[in-house]
Amino acid sequence: MYVNLFLLLAAFAAVFAVIILALLILMQLQLIPFVALFETIVALLGIFLTTISGREPPLQLWLSHRRRAEQLRREYFRYLFRLPPYDRLVGVERGLKLSERAADINRGVFPENSHCWIYKFISRVA
């Protein structure tokens, strides 16, 4: 709902800015500061609506995405250095295993993390 309203406000602001400011430049220069103020208010309203439309607090969302990014980086380096579970696979099987594990990470399933204390801590925080 808020996204549609934001898009409507953004479109309104763009059309308003182009048409009205072009007319004001040709006719009345003294009204430009007021129109610019109105344009700023519309932009701030759009920013406010996008900020409150989030379903999850920003910090928790950032922590979740950061954890996934770090886990994907870890998997990539495990793949590059042929660490388990990539050490015994060859060719296409290695790539398939990497894509399978990357898809799991994207879904929020983090493989082989139960043994490491830092992942237990991050799980409790996130």
Side-chain angles (χ1 to χ4, degrees):
M1 177 180 149
Y2 289 116
V3 174
N4 292 335
L5 186 57
F6 171 69
L7 290 175
L8 182 66
L9 281 172
F12 173 71
V15 169
F16 182 79
V18 170
I19 293 172
I20 301 301
L21 288 178
L23 291 174
L24 287 175
I25 288 173
L26 295 174
M27 297 177 186
Q28 297 178 343
L29 294 175
Q30 66 270 19
L31 291 179
I32 290 178
F34 298 111
V35 175
L37 177 66
F38 179 71
E39 188 69 26
T40 303
I41 291 170
V42 170
L44 289 174
L45 182 63
I47 292 170
F48 173 74
L49 289 176
T50 56
T51 302
I52 66 170
S53 68
R55 296 184 206 139
E56 199 172 333
L59 178 62
Q60 296 299 324
L61 190 60
W62 182 84
L63 284 172
S64 172
H65 290 310
R66 185 76 253 148
R67 180 179 182 198
R68 287 181 183 174
E70 292 301 326
Q71 188 71 27
L72 286 170
R73 181 178 292 134
R74 177 179 171 227
E75 280 303 313
Y76 176 66
F77 282 108
R78 289 174 79 177
Y79 176 81
L80 286 179
F81 292 116
R82 294 185 177 268
L83 296 173
Y86 308 107
D87 56 344
R88 297 195 175 131
L89 301 173
V90 292
V92 177
E93 291 175 355
R94 281 185 73 226
L96 288 175
K97 186 68 170 177
L98 177 64
S99 63
E100 176 186 313
R101 290 173 67 98
D104 285 341
I105 292 168
N106 193 35
R107 285 190 289 269
V109 178
F110 301 104
E112 300 175 16
N113 289 336
S114 59
H115 65 279
C116 186
W117 68 271
I118 191 70
Y119 290 108
K120 290 179 184 177
F121 176 74
I122 291 173
S123 296
R124 278 188 266 138
V125 172

